[in-house]
Amino acid sequence: MFTSIVLCTFASLLPLGHASLPLVINTWPFKNATAAAWRVLQSGGSVLDAVERGCARCEVEQCDGSVGYGGSPDESGETTLDALIMNGDTMEVGAVAGLRRIKNAIGVARAVMERTDHTLLVGQSASVFAENMGFVAEDLTTNKSLNIFSQWLQSNCQPNYRKNVFPDPSASCGPYEPRATLKRTKRAQHASRLSHDTIGMLAVDRDGHMAAGTSTNGMTHKVPGRVGDSPIVGAGAYADSSAGGAAATGDGDIMMRFLPSYLAVELMRAGADPSAACKMAISRIKRHYSEFFGAIICANTTGHYGAACNKTPGFTRFHYMVSNSKSDAPLLKSVDCV
Ligand SMILES: *[C@@H]1O[C@H](CO)[C@@H](O)[C@H](O)[C@H]1NC(C)=O
Ligand SMILES: *[C@@H]1O[C@H](CO)[C@@H](O)[C@H](O)[C@H]1NC(C)=O
Ligand SMILES: *[C@@H]1O[C@H](CO)[C@@H](O)[C@H](O)[C@H]1NC(C)=O
């Protein structure tokens, strides 16, 4: 008894602050998504419901043009979607990648988790599954995505994500053939923040049950078939109700090589503070790709949270949203990149 009183006193003096349950936290200033998830928790819904509803809100709002339909057309002009949802109690995961013609990607991801024994479905087959489950097939193309695509064609298919190919990827469109002389395009230039702002969301309820989710339409002008980090468990997001949760955003092609969400959760399991865990996950990537664009959010089961990002000339501060019982409305938070 004495010990716990002392601990409580200390806890209130320490600048750890901001711990309060339940908690919703998501990448970027996607405020309506946070509010939607928060409302679900307030009305007694589960953390999975909260994450699904929050991410779905972004799919409908086409958050930043990088979530949902009508954004990020690939090299053939099509918008395809990636999403993931994870139950931190049971470690069940459902995900879809390269999903075509279905707007509600996070909903399909949840159906994969709850209506199949599988974890990840891809491409046209994922769409067939979705239609079988009652999701409506519709065109994901909009005038906006058509415009982005036609402008890209007019600029000789620049920028693109090809390298070491003929014709010179900085001069014209394909078909491409491998070339012996290695030649790099200036990837960092177009792998910039506007082309991929995934929503990644974590929800924790009063009892520490945790869920994580992501939804995105990937990178603009991606090579068709490209799958990013978002639907890859441990990369785009991870949740374990006995340790914590994390979700990443940014240059997924690079970030997925390091499973940053899994790493951050394991660091929290080993005792790291959420902010420190986030920073360490970012610096692991930075060691190999000093200029990569990316950020990560972390939360533990007592509602402590943090975020981190990699500092580059065009990206020095990362914004994210938080809702917990300390405030009625979602709070805009930010962190200086390191
Ligand atoms: C957020 O929701 C409000 C209220 O429904 C709406 O007016 C606003 O346009 C939404 N924001 C975005 C970015 O869609
Ligand atoms: C898209 O463009 C077509 C033709 O340019 C136009 O008729 C249509 O109204 C536009 N749709 C929207 C939603 O703006
Ligand atoms: C969550 O992180 C805070 C801040 O480091 C720490 O005080 C708390 O004990 C952590 N909670 C758990 C369950 O590890």
Side-chain angles (χ1 to χ4, degrees), residues 8-42:
C8 284
T9 311
F10 267 109
S12 64
L13 293 176
L14 291 170
L16 297 170
H18 56 245
S20 162
L21 289 172
L23 168 74
V24 172
I25 176 170
N26 62 264
T27 57
W28 306 112
F30 300 151
K31 182 176 162 208
N32 287 353
T34 325
W38 181 249
R39 273 196 301 276
V40 171
L41 291 183
Q42 289 305 90

Side-chain angles (χ1 to χ4, degrees), residues 84-87 91-95 109 112-113 118-120 231 233:
L84 168 149
I85 191 162
M86 180 165 192
N87 179 335
M91 308 309 281
E92 288 172 294
V93 175
V112 170
M113 179 171 78
H118 301 311
T119 294
L120 171 62
V233 63

Side-chain angles (χ1 to χ4, degrees), residues 73-75 152-153 155-174 176 183-191 195 219-224 253:
D74 66 17
E75 282 191 344
W152 179 75
L153 288 177
S155 341
N156 288 327
C157 307
Q158 304 305 309
N160 64 50
Y161 292 95
R162 308 276 176 163
K163 66 179 183 185
N164 307 331
V165 291
F166 284 117
D168 189 322
S170 68
S172 68
C173 302
Y176 304 98
K183 184 165 169 44
R184 265 222 75 109
T185 48
K186 282 190 190 161
R187 183 168 194 283
Q189 246 179 5
H190 55 266
S195 99
M219 282 167 147
T220 308
H221 316 310
K222 64 189 174 188
V223 176
D253 290 304

